[in-house]
Amino acid sequence: SAALALAERAGISVFATGGIGGVHRGSELTGDISADLDAIARRAVVTVSAGAKAFLDLARTLEYLETAGAPVLGWQTDDFPAFYTRSSGLSVPHRVDSAEVVAAIYRNRTRNDQGLLLTVPIPESDALDVDHLDAVLTTALDECEAQGVRGAAITPFVLGRIAEATDGDSLPANLALAEHNAEIAAQVAVAISQAS
């Protein structure tokens, strides 16, 4: 969220990251919702990411973004990606197939301070196996509960368990999605610049 604030202040209209934070599972009890979501909604920046981290409550994350007024776009996909996998099983509200369309949506947003989220699926060749990842996430989240891991400590704990369970394959996947996001973000930045 701080990076988005800095980007906006510097006049940067497109920001690429790996995955965003979101609504944590069990948030109805803990209130654990990432500040990323409000920052995406309230900063005039296009955030390009591979969706939200898969161990979050993705349905509630999408609902929160809608409530906050942040358009969620799927880059050449109808599915909301889940970081290491191309689909979470949830739909994105809006599919976009070109950087020019993203630029037009950004240019015509309803509020000057409104941002939007452009979700870009990890390249197919770099995606992790969905079933294996789901099993790892279930085990890791159960361990978090048993060990009392809460709040910001959940992310590094779960990512560490994923790295162990995938024999390190999650690291090149992470790099691949970050590079891909940066490539798409560059296309969008050029389109926004040319439309100005």
Side-chain angles (χ1 to χ4, degrees):
S1 60
L4 281 174
L6 293 172
E8 183 185 52
R9 286 187 69 124
I12 296 169
S13 57
V14 183
F15 171 74
T17 186
I20 62 165
V23 178
H24 281 259
R25 296 180 192 194
S27 64
E28 65 277 9
L29 300 175
T30 66
D32 195 355
I33 300 172
S34 173
D36 289 358
L37 302 182
D38 285 327
I40 290 166
R42 296 185 182 141
R43 301 291 179 185
V45 177
V46 177
T47 300
V48 180
S49 82
K53 296 174 181 81
F55 56 85
L56 299 170
D57 186 328
L58 299 181
R60 285 188 176 172
T61 296
L62 281 169
E63 184 63 35
Y64 191 100
L65 286 164
E66 180 184 352
T67 301
V72 178
L73 313 174
W75 178 258
Q76 300 175 351
T77 185
D78 296 310
D79 298 326
F80 186 67
F83 198 67
Y84 292 123
T85 61
R86 293 181 58 81
S87 176
S88 63
L90 301 168
S91 298
V92 289
H94 311 283
R95 177 190 176 113
V96 292
D97 289 310
S98 72
E100 291 72 25
V101 172
V102 178
I105 293 169
Y106 177 74
R107 192 173 55 254
N108 294 294
R109 62 197 187 279
T110 57
R111 299 185 330 263
N112 287 338
D113 67 342
Q114 182 182 40
L116 56 95
L117 175 63
L118 176 60
T119 61
V120 179
I122 184 173
E124 195 165 350
S125 60
D126 299 297
L128 298 182
D129 179 76
V130 175
D131 294 332
H132 180 59
L133 186 60
D134 284 346
V136 171
L137 289 175
T138 299
T139 301
L141 292 170
D142 288 346
E143 287 179 41
C144 283
E145 185 64 33
Q147 296 178 29
V149 177
R150 302 265 186 273
I154 292 173
T155 297
F157 183 91
V158 172
L159 293 179
R161 292 298 189 265
I162 291 170
E164 289 172 15
T166 62
D167 295 325
D169 285 346
S170 61
L171 181 57
N174 201 337
L175 293 173
L177 68 84
E179 288 174 10
H180 188 56
N181 291 349
E183 178 186 326
I184 302 307
Q187 292 177 35
V188 171
V190 168
I192 289 172
S193 174
Q194 290 176 341
S196 299

